[in-house]
Amino acid sequence: MSFSTCDLCDGNEDKLASGGLAVLPPVFRHFGKRKAFSGPAATLKVFEDNVLVRAALETPGEGRVLVVDGGGSLRCALVGGNLGVLAEKNGWAGIVVNGCVRDSEELDACDIGVRALATHPQRSIRKGVGDRDIAIMIAGVTVRPGNWIYADADGVLVAIEKLG
């Protein structure tokens, strides 16, 4: 599917006004080979713990986008090169992390799209604490499981349903 987030915003101004389409704040950096990606969201809420991130990426992605609310923490990474390879292998379209990633050069070699706030060399703790498949809030934007995520060089969109 070829798309432009600018064109999607222009063509769906009514959804922007009604809340059926939202734009994440422009705070995310790009990683991975895919500059643009889209798909239905799978959601996680974790804090400085990536056990559930790995568990999700070990399952068939089926073109979905894993959206991880890491609380905006800049103290450790939630996704690294090994998880990027796992995401690619299991058919995930992309990952959006409200937090940090590491192994950025390894992530850039993966055929997925990744958006994150920053890089950080330290890995997360591993306790397995968090929630999956729940509504999460990233910088004032609610993301629910099944919402559609559209990301390209101009931004990241969250739509209640697939946009035509």
Side-chain angles (χ1 to χ4, degrees), residues 1-2 53 62 69 71 74-75 87 112 119 121 141 149 152 161:
M1 173 184 185
S2 180
V53 178
E62 300 170 336
D69 179 5
L74 301 176
R75 300 190 313 186
I112 59 168
T119 57
V141 177
I149 307 298
D152 68 6
E161 58 192 12

Side-chain angles (χ1 to χ4, degrees), residues 84-142:
V85 169
L86 192 59
E88 178 183 0
K89 175 184 157 202
N90 288 323
W92 289 85
I95 307 168
V96 177
V97 183
N98 186 25
C100 295
V101 298
R102 67 188 220 156
D103 304 318
S104 60
E105 290 182 7
E106 292 176 28
L107 284 175
D108 286 343
C110 295
D111 188 21
I112 59 168
V114 179
R115 297 293 187 280
L117 298 178
T119 57
H120 197 292
Q122 183 178 336
R123 69 180 177 190
S124 74
I125 61 171
R126 295 181 179 161
K127 292 186 177 180
V129 176
D131 295 295
R132 65 176 63 193
D133 299 321
I134 63 166
I136 57 176
M137 182 82 66
I138 297 179
V141 177
T142 301

Side-chain angles (χ1 to χ4, degrees), residues 1-130:
M1 173 184 185
S2 180
F3 65 90
S4 157
T5 56
C6 296
D7 291 344
L8 289 174
C9 285
D10 291 352
N12 292 281
E13 289 179 341
D14 58 329
K15 289 181 175 64
L16 284 167
S18 70
L21 176 63
V23 181
L24 289 181
V27 295
F28 294 94
R29 291 178 49 192
H30 169 265
F31 305 92
K33 284 185 181 178
R34 292 188 191 175
K35 300 283 186 218
F37 59 92
S38 65
T43 61
L44 292 176
K45 183 176 182 70
V46 300
F47 189 72
E48 298 179 359
D49 182 340
N50 79 341
V51 170
L52 293 181
V53 178
R54 174 177 284 282
L57 295 174
E58 288 174 339
T59 66
E62 300 170 336
R64 292 178 295 161
V65 175
L66 183 62
V67 183
V68 181
D69 179 5
S73 174
L74 301 176
R75 300 190 313 186
C76 66
L78 294 173
V79 174
N82 291 336
L83 295 186
V85 169
L86 192 59
E88 178 183 0
K89 175 184 157 202
N90 288 323
W92 289 85
I95 307 168
V96 177
V97 183
N98 186 25
C100 295
V101 298
R102 67 188 220 156
D103 304 318
S104 60
E105 290 182 7
E106 292 176 28
L107 284 175
D108 286 343
C110 295
D111 188 21
I112 59 168
V114 179
R115 297 293 187 280
L117 298 178
T119 57
H120 197 292
Q122 183 178 336
R123 69 180 177 190
S124 74
I125 61 171
R126 295 181 179 161
K127 292 186 177 180
V129 176

Side-chain angles (χ1 to χ4, degrees), residues 152-163:
D152 68 6
D154 291 311
V156 181
L157 307 180
V158 179
I160 289 177
E161 58 192 12
K162 186 175 182 177
L163 301 175

